[in-house]
Every structure is written in structure tokens, then in C-alpha cells.
Amino acid sequence: HAFPCALPDGKSVLFTLYTTSSSNSSIAILSPETDEPKTVVPRGRFAKYLPTGHLLFYDQGWFKAARFDTDRLEVVGRPVKIVQSRFLPAVSDTGCLVHGPPFPGEAREGLPNARPLVWVDRHGETKPLKVPRQPYMDLRLSPDGERLAVEVRNERGAEILIYDIERETHTTHLTSGGYNSFPVWTPDGERLIFASMRKEKWFNLNWAPADGSAKPQPLTDANHRQFPYSVSPERILAFSQGVVSAGLDIYTLPLDDPSAAEPFVQTEFYESSPAFSPDGRWLAYVSEETGQREVFVQPYPRTPTSAPKQISDSGGGKPLWSKQGDKLFLFYRDHSRLYSVEIKTEPAFKADEPKLLLDKPFGDSLIRRGYDISRDGERFLFMELTDEEAAQGPVDKLFVVQNWFEELKRLVPAEGGN
């Protein structure tokens, strides 16, 4: 149950009802007269009631509107497509609409574009990996560099697949059903940890043998969102945790005793993307404590005198350590430039100024790392943008529509949609 919106009667609440994936979500109402939520839109989310008597909601890449009867608490007529936007529009009570540009390509239908995977060397030269183009959301190379775990979106949610790098073939379908994301390898390469949303559980941690020999099993059972990111050589998992309506904090747990989870960075700010150094002595992460997302490093475990070391200063994210632990890679705010930071830990921690390594946009998402480094440290694996995505570039404009309620009334008149 998420994204509540109070209705004019002052008693009923409109909200999004998540099931196994965002694409299967519905919009429901709960009122004092009913014991159970009443579904008013079978597929949609982010619903908002407007003073014009309409519901505005998101569905498969479109924001749609429908007339709404506040007495019967139900939609009247069919919803009508209104606007495409790469993020939620803002609508004022006086009828001003602000939205962004549409999603490029096939992402307009609610799924990410099917992208190729490519190796990129330090000079920017690319070489395709011979695996199918799919709507990839995240990827992780195994510790020995011979296998690749990927998160792939579909109409039902997301699955974790494993590819053989040398043979360039699909070897294992690790999950089936639900929304499964954020794959992370254990240090021995024997198991994969991932977040899974199934039935009433909201993204708890699960794990499974990487060879698919057994079904996934729960690693945690909590009423929080939990996203795994990194495992140390001592089998300590670093993950992000938070509630739906708030931000994220960073926690750690020993895989041999998952019940012993404890907070590592827990503040009123957003913290995510933890990454252990290869020796397990340092943890890089992203925090918004400065007012924007930046990369920090702290010793692990923390000591009473330890303090975070700020690495980036222009909106950094997606930290990744080199295999030797002498460099930290990170993206800056526009997600199109990869930087390298020289790191020294003896006799004391020291980080040099970030140096530009690659200046080319690749497919990514805000909270996923979305890239990895080869075992020899000479190549990076990325999701390559489609031609449409590359041509569109980053969002650099907003569209403001004044008196939009008049247009809404024309598109969805009082007698219902068409």
C-alpha cells in the first residue's frame, strides 16, 4: 500500500496497491464503510484526485485520466491517455501541469529499452558481448569473471538470469515470477543474493545457488525495502534498507547469521549503493547529507573516531572498487562520465582528485550500479544505450502547461472518456 491521496469526503483514501510488480499494480480506495480495499483502476499507480473530478494515474509509460464519481467512489467511463513523461508530473489545484519528455523507444510501453551489453576498455573502445538484447536493469560479474548475473525486466516483473561469459550463452534462469532485482554474488561464486518482491513482502533479501540446483530461499523477513549491493571477503553483506515512505539507510549482516543485521550509516538523509573494498576494510557508499548525492568512504567496521571521507564533490554515485583496491570508480551527476580516484589506505586513508576516465553515456538507473569491471581490471561491462536513447540525451527541459484543466475537461468530458 503506497502513495496515498485523500479524497474530498475527508474519509476515504486513494492509494496504489502493489502485488508482484509495478506493472501489475492497481489503484484502490479504503473507506470507513468498507473492511477491504475497493479496486477502482485494475492496472495503474501514482493516482491523484483532481479538483475537476478526475483521477490522474500512471500506466505503462502513460499518464491517464478518468472521470471519478466521489459519491459512489468509482471510475466513470474508460481512462484516456493524456501525456507521456519520464517522471511523475506535478499538477497544481489551479490547473498548472509540469511534466518531462517522453520515454525513448519501446520504453514508452512501460519497459526499459532492450539494450546490448558491451565491453569498454579504458580508451573508450567497445566490443559487444554476444548475449541477446534485453531490458537489462542491472548486471554483476562473478568473482572469477566467467559468469554474468543480470536483472531483466518483463511485463510480469523482473527475473535474474545467469550467462556464461566464455561461451556467451544463457546457462541459468535463477528466478521465476515476481519482481527480482539487485543480484550480488557471494565471494566464492556459489550463490547469488537478490531483492525479491513476492505477494505481501516488499523487496526482502533472498538467495539461491548460482547453478539453479535449488529454489531461492528467504535470507531476511522484514517489513522494509531491502536492496543488496556488496559482500566482503568475510561474507558480510552490505545492503540498503528503508520504509516505503522514507529514504534508505545502510545496514550490514553476516551471511552466517542473517538475524544479526545492524545499521552502518543511519541518518535522516538518503544513503545507498554500499560497496566493500576488496580487502573488506573499507565501505564506499552514496549519501545526500551535503544536499546532493555524493560518494563517501568509511572504514569497516566503524570505530568511535571514524568519520566519512567525501570522495566526490559534484554529485557522484555508483561507486565501484578496482580489483586491487587502489582505485575507486564513480559516475558524476549526469551519469555520462566515469571517473577514477586513486586511493591509498596506508599509513592513513587518502583519496586523490577524481580523474575523467570515460566520457560516454551508458544505460543505468539511479539506485542500481549497472556496470562492472573485468577481473584483470582492463575493461568495464556496460548496458549500451539504444540509438534513440543516445539521441535524446539527459532530461534538460520541463514542459509547463497553464490552464491545463480546460484541456483535461475537453479530453475527458463529464459524460466519460472515449
Side-chain angles (χ1 to χ4, degrees):
H1 305 77
F3 308 107
C5 174
L7 290 175
D9 63 5
K11 301 181 294 183
S12 305
V13 178
L14 183 76
F15 63 95
T16 298
L17 182 61
Y18 281 99
T19 52
T20 57
S21 74
S22 57
S23 59
N24 292 332
S25 302
S26 59
I27 296 168
I29 289 177
L30 193 62
S31 66
E33 287 75 24
T34 60
D35 294 327
E36 298 292 333
K38 173 185 177 181
T39 300
V40 293
V41 178
R43 192 180 71 185
R45 49 191 171 134
F46 309 128
K48 177 180 176 65
Y49 178 79
L50 302 177
T52 56
H54 294 85
L55 288 189
L56 181 68
F57 62 93
Y58 176 82
D59 178 35
Q60 300 295 298
W62 281 90
F63 289 95
K64 300 179 180 180
R67 297 289 303 183
F68 187 75
D69 188 320
T70 55
D71 294 326
R72 293 183 294 169
L73 298 180
E74 60 185 38
V75 168
V76 179
R78 290 188 298 170
V80 175
K81 292 180 178 179
I82 299 296
V83 66
Q84 289 181 312
S85 177
R86 289 171 70 173
F87 47 81
L88 287 173
V91 183
S92 75
D93 289 340
T94 57
C96 179
L97 169 71
V98 182
H99 67 88
F103 285 100
E106 58 198 75
R108 295 173 184 172
E109 299 304 319
L111 289 175
N113 284 306
R115 296 165 170 156
L117 301 182
V118 293
W119 287 110
V120 184
D121 65 23
R122 293 172 182 265
H123 304 289
E125 297 296 323
T126 64
K127 178 184 178 182
L129 188 66
K130 294 180 181 179
V131 295
R133 289 176 176 240
Q134 298 203 68
Y136 297 110
M137 292 294 292
D138 205 354
L139 54 88
R140 292 295 180 99
L141 291 164
S142 62
D144 60 10
E146 297 180 359
R147 291 165 294 169
L148 172 68
V150 293
E151 173 191 342
V152 179
R153 284 286 309 275
N154 56 46
E155 293 181 352
R156 299 175 303 280
E159 303 296 345
I160 306 296
L161 308 181
I162 300 176
Y163 290 102
D164 186 306
I165 294 291
E166 296 300 321
R167 298 178 181 177
E168 296 182 321
T169 58
H170 162 234
T171 58
T172 306
H173 202 118
L174 197 70
T175 62
S176 178
Y179 198 111
N180 308 280
S181 57
F182 292 81
V184 177
W185 295 87
T186 54
D188 57 11
E190 294 295 321
R191 302 178 74 87
L192 274 161
I193 303 166
F194 54 93
S196 183
M197 182 167 68
R198 297 172 183 272
K199 297 181 180 179
E200 75 280 359
K201 289 299 179 183
W202 179 272
F203 284 124
N204 276 185
L205 302 179
N206 285 250
W207 62 347
D211 61 4
S213 59
K215 293 182 178 180
Q217 297 295 323
L219 189 61
T220 60
D221 183 16
N223 293 319
H224 304 285
R225 296 182 297 168
Q226 296 176 320
F227 305 110
Y229 280 93
S230 182
V231 182
S232 75
E234 289 74 28
R235 292 172 55 84
I236 303 297
L237 171 67
F239 64 99
S240 290
Q241 175 173 297
V243 297
V244 175
S245 58
L248 296 171
D249 296 309
I250 293 174
Y251 282 69
T252 59
L253 67 79
L255 293 179
D256 298 329
D257 185 10
S259 64
E262 60 182 6
F264 181 79
V265 182
Q266 187 178 37
T267 71
E268 69 271 28
F269 306 108
Y270 171 99
E271 294 102 12
S272 187
S273 305
F276 274 113
S277 60
D279 61 8
R281 294 177 52 213
W282 302 90
L283 193 64
Y285 61 95
V286 175
S287 173
E288 287 185 345
E289 65 177 81
T290 65
Q292 63 182 358
R293 296 187 181 189
E294 302 287 5
V295 174
F296 293 81
V297 172
Q298 288 205 49
Y300 183 84
R302 293 179 63 177
T303 66
T305 59
S306 64
K309 313 289 186 181
Q310 186 170 340
I311 306 300
S312 64
D313 59 6
S314 299
K318 307 181 188 299
L320 169 66
W321 293 88
S322 65
K323 299 302 181 182
Q324 295 73 33
D326 59 346
K327 294 181 179 66
L328 191 62
F329 304 104
L330 56 96
F331 274 90
Y332 267 39
R333 181 165 49 192
D334 59 4
H335 306 290
S336 65
R337 290 190 288 271
L338 179 66
Y339 281 75
S340 174
V341 180
E342 296 284 341
I343 301 290
K344 293 182 176 63
T345 59
E346 298 294 344
F349 184 90
K350 180 184 178 183
D352 290 345
E353 288 294 318
K355 295 180 180 179
L356 180 63
L357 187 62
L358 294 174
D359 188 1
K360 182 181 179 181
F362 291 96
D364 67 359
S365 63
L366 189 61
I367 61 175
R368 289 167 171 82
R369 195 179 71 197
Y371 72 107
D372 213 336
I373 190 170
S374 62
R375 190 175 185 183
D376 62 10
E378 295 301 317
R379 300 183 299 172
F380 297 90
L381 190 62
F382 283 101
M383 298 174 283
E384 190 170 48
L385 296 180
T386 64
D387 292 340
E388 286 182 307
E389 289 175 317
Q392 186 175 51
V395 176
D396 59 359
K397 65 179 67 175
L398 300 176
F399 298 90
V400 179
V401 185
Q402 301 280 14
N403 301 315
W404 177 69
F405 282 167
E406 297 306 313
E407 174 73 0
L408 177 62
K409 293 174 184 176
R410 184 187 69 81
L411 293 171
V412 191
E415 62 270 16
N418 53 27

